[in-house]
Structure formats: structure tokens, C-alpha cells
Amino acid sequence: MWRPALSALALVAYAVFSHWSMVHAAGSPWAVAVLLGPLLVTAGAYAAARRQWVMLAAMGAGLAAVVLLAWRGGVAEVNRLYVLQHVGIHAALGSVFAISLRGGAVPMITGVALRVHGGHMPEAMHCYTRRVTQLWAGYFFCMLALSLLLYGTASWDVWSLFANVGTPLAVAAVMVAEWRVRYWLHPEFERVSIATAMRAFRTRPAAAAGAPAP
């Protein structure tokens, strides 16, 4: 249990540090690298794992360019970069989940569940996981809208707190709530931990690629 505890502690520390950095040192080169770097590094790791070298080079060049601009004082409104990152992540995730709901495709959560259950699920689970995919698509777009609303109407401190602390807490709350509701509505479903589902989410979807859409 110490590994999940350390991971959670590290995420909390990063969220608090990110909020402090955005409020007190948003334009500093090191803050730009720390706050924008994880997204670019994650995308770079994804590209490297799939040998998409052009994308990997673009991520590295993007991070270097942003840090260089900040270092030379060329980013006048660096706050907008942070907002763009937050909104862009949610727009991308919402679009990915929504697109997976189109006819003939396998809904995102359905694909995850198929990988967890070895490619075979009852019809009730197909229907349920499709609804959960709809839930997550709606969640990401709602968070996007709320992010823009707060940026336009509230102080920067409030937006930063929402983006750095509220966002991960909201994701965790939705995950835990869905996990509990799942077995309240469908006690017949095989019990699967959130950690197992997350591992399946990170794997490549080859196992579910040929699964029929519910």
C-alpha cells in the first residue's frame, strides 16, 4: 500500500506547488518548465512508446521554445498558456471520449472493461460502460466550460486553485463515485479495483479493437 500512498502524496505536493507557482511566479522560466513540462513530457513519452518521432520532436521543441520565451521575457501573458493547457487537455479528452461513442466504434470505457475482462462481457456491462463513457465526455466538457468561466469572471488565484487542486480532486471524486454506483446498480458485476482499471486504461487497446459495439 505504500506505493499508492506515495503516489497520492506526490500528486498532492505537485498540485499545491503548481498553485503556489502560478500565483507567485507564473512568468519565471523554471515555473513555466514545471507547469507546462509534465504535459509535454507525457505526450513525448506516449510518442516515444509508439515510435512517433515527429510528435516527440515537436513536444521537445515546444517545451524548449516556451522556456526560452519566458527566459527572455517574451511571454507577456503567460497565464493564458496555463489556461490554454488546462482547457486543451479537457477538450482533447472530452473529444476522445465523445468520438468513441460514434456508431461502429467501441466506447472508451467499454474498451477498458474489455481489456480488464479478457474481451468478454455481458450485455448489461456493455450498456453500462457506454453510459459511463458518456458521463466522462460530459464531465470533461463541463470542466472546460467552468475553467473558461472562472478565468473570465474570477481572480487568477481562484482559477489556479480550481485548475491545480480542484481538477484532480474532481477526477478522483468522479472515479470513486462511479465505482461505488457501479456495484450498487449492478452487484452482479465482477469486482475490479480502480487501480486495475487504470492499468487497463494505459495499455494499448489492441485486445478490444475487434470487439463489437454495444
Side-chain angles (χ1 to χ4, degrees):
M1 294 296 294
W2 62 271
R3 288 184 179 179
L6 285 178
S7 298
L9 183 61
L11 288 174
V12 170
Y14 180 75
V16 173
F17 177 75
S18 296
H19 174 59
W20 182 90
S21 300
M22 281 191 181
V23 172
H24 298 286
S28 299
W30 62 265
V32 173
V34 169
L35 295 171
L36 297 181
L39 173 63
L40 296 174
V41 169
T42 300
Y46 176 89
R50 288 156 179 78
R51 299 186 178 183
Q52 298 178 3
W53 306 121
V54 174
M55 180 180 176
L56 178 61
M59 294 302 101
L63 178 59
V66 169
V67 173
L68 180 61
L69 281 172
W71 186 271
R72 300 184 64 178
V75 182
E77 292 291 340
V78 69
N79 290 358
R80 293 181 183 176
L81 289 176
Y82 302 137
V83 176
L84 179 62
Q85 174 183 242
H86 189 261
V87 169
I89 291 173
H90 284 81
L93 289 172
S95 298
V96 167
F97 276 75
I99 290 172
S100 74
L101 291 166
R102 71 187 188 278
V106 178
M108 180 68 68
I109 301 301
T110 304
V112 173
L114 285 168
R115 292 195 290 278
V116 170
H117 297 285
H120 303 283
M121 298 191 311
E123 183 62 26
M125 191 174 290
H126 275 277
C127 294
Y128 177 80
T129 53
R130 182 178 182 84
R131 290 196 296 269
V132 175
T133 303
Q134 294 170 339
L135 167 69
W136 278 109
Y139 164 82
F140 288 124
F141 287 125
C142 285
M143 290 294 284
L144 182 158
L146 183 56
S147 180
L148 291 175
L149 178 64
L150 288 176
Y151 178 66
T153 61
S155 67
W156 178 249
D157 292 15
V158 171
W159 184 89
S160 176
L161 188 65
F162 161 76
N164 293 299
V165 180
T167 297
L169 288 177
V171 170
V174 172
M175 291 178 63
V176 172
E178 185 279 317
W179 185 78
R180 293 184 66 87
V181 168
R182 182 193 320 163
Y183 297 118
W184 176 62
L185 292 176
H186 295 282
E188 75 279 9
F189 286 176
E190 179 185 353
R191 297 274 173 163
V192 176
S193 68
I194 294 177
T196 299
M198 290 302 297
R199 285 194 295 270
F201 187 83
R202 290 193 297 267
T203 59
R204 300 182 70 172

